[in-house]
Structures are given as structure tokens and as C-alpha cells.
Amino acid sequence: MNIYLLFKSIHLIAAISWMAGLLYLPRIFVYHSEAAQNNKSKDLISTFKVMERRLFIYIMNPAMIVSWIFGILLIHSIGTENFGSFWLQLKLIFVVILTMYHFFLFQCLKNFAQNNNSFSPKFYRIINEIPTVLLIATIIVVVFKPL
Ligand code: HEM
């Protein structure tokens, strides 16, 4: 059993699940903020709140934690001298930004839960591109490993 490949498989499963949530949650925020703007039914608004909360608590949080744990185990497997490599430094910058974005979405989720959202549907459409760009950059950096 190759432990490095096992770590990498778990890392990739978790990172894909985390990315799915990071891409989907702002989409729900788009529909949620549109529904609130158009005074849609209370039932619909509560459904959005439940979807957001469950996605964040049961998928995104565990997936982020497992991505970090197995990412760190991978750094340990390939050797900590890789901290000196440009590709790993770039990768860590990208995943730190993704993590900050994750907690920003959590703040938005709490505001929605209190009917206190202050951003427009257009805002959520625009920020939805952030994880897309970071996903592409992260994959290219870790596969091509420049320097
Ligand atoms: C959460 C913090 C993360 C850390 C600390 C981390 C760290 C690492 C490390 C050290 C490797 C091993 C590279 C190698 O074997 O040479 C790796 C592989 C990989 N990571 Fe991450 N990673 C993180 C998050 C992510 C995320 C969010 C994604 C997806 C967007 C991702 C995608 C990948 C891919 C595709 C590989 C496989 C590359 C290959 O085998 O060539 N990682 N990661």
C-alpha cells in the first residue's frame, strides 16, 4: 500500500467536494437574494436557509478540514524542503485565499439566516467567479509545478 497515493486520493476527493460547495453556495445566495428582493413566500426563503446551512455544515466544513489535513500530510510525504519551491508557495497562497473566501461565505450565510443580507444578486454572481479562477490556477500550479 502506497501511503502517499492514499493521502493524495483522499486529498483530491475532499478538495473536489470543497470546491463543489464553494461554487454552489453563492449560486443559492443569488436565488435567495432575488427571492427576498421580490418578496417571495416565507416557505421558499426558509428552504434556501436550510439548503445553505446543510451545504455549509455537512459538506463544505468537513471537506475543507480534510483537504487541509491531507494537503499537509502530502507536504510531509514529499518533504518540507518543498516549502522553498515556487509552486508550493503559490499553491498555499491560493488555498489560503480559498479558505478566506469560505469564511466570508459563512458570514454571508449568517446574515441571510437573520434576514440581514446586504448584497445584491449581481454581487453573488460576480464573487462566484473567484473560486472558478482559483480552481484553475491551483490545478495548473500543482500539475505543472513551475520551479
Ligand atoms: C487545503 C489546503 C491544501 C494543501 C495544503 C494542499 C497541498 C498539496 C500537496 C502538498 C500536494 C502534493 C503535490 C505532489 O504530490 O507533488 C497536493 C496535490 C494536489 N492538490 Fe492540493 N492542497 C490543498 C488544497 C487543494 C485544493 C483546494 C485543490 C483543488 C482546487 C487541490 C488540488 C490538488 C491536486 C489536483 C493535486 C494533485 C497534483 C498531482 O498529483 O500532480 N489541493 N496538494
Side-chain angles (χ1 to χ4, degrees):
M1 170 70 109
N2 184 328
I3 201 82
Y4 163 73
L5 291 180
L6 178 67
F7 286 169
K8 186 136 82 175
S9 305
I10 298 172
H11 177 66
L12 291 180
I13 293 163
I16 289 167
S17 312
W18 186 27
M19 287 309 309
L22 290 174
L23 291 163
Y24 186 42
L25 187 58
R27 264 279 120 204
I28 306 178
F29 289 164
V30 171
Y31 302 130
H32 189 161
S33 50
E34 277 173 356
Q37 251 179 12
N38 300 329
N39 292 317
K40 295 282 182 198
S41 76
K42 275 206 168 85
D43 277 357
L44 180 63
I45 302 280
S46 332
T47 304
F48 285 133
K49 288 182 188 174
V50 172
M51 288 168 74
E52 289 156 3
R53 203 173 152 273
R54 290 196 181 153
L55 177 63
F56 193 83
I57 302 215
Y58 298 117
I59 310 269
M60 293 171 64
N61 263 347
M64 178 191 64
I65 293 165
V66 176
S67 302
W68 269 107
I69 292 173
F70 283 87
I72 290 164
L73 287 172
L74 281 173
I75 296 176
H76 184 257
S77 307
I78 60 175
T80 44
E81 67 276 8
N82 281 284
F83 278 122
S85 313
F86 184 53
W87 70 267
L88 186 56
Q89 292 164 359
L90 264 184
K91 162 126 194 191
L92 289 175
I93 291 170
F94 294 150
V95 291
V96 165
I97 300 171
L98 274 178
T99 305
M100 286 160 59
Y101 180 76
H102 176 101
F103 287 108
F104 172 73
L105 293 182
F106 182 49
Q107 193 52 52
C108 297
L109 183 152
K110 285 194 289 186
N111 290 342
F112 270 116
Q114 294 161 1
N115 300 319
N116 204 15
N117 163 50
S118 46
F119 298 113
S120 66
K122 191 172 175 203
F123 173 82
Y124 291 113
R125 277 203 181 88
I126 292 169
I127 64 159
N128 212 2
E129 302 307 327
I130 296 173
T132 311
V133 173
L134 286 169
L135 167 67
I136 295 166
T138 308
I139 300 286
I140 289 176
V141 157
V142 89
V143 171
F144 281 87
K145 293 194 176 67
L147 304 173

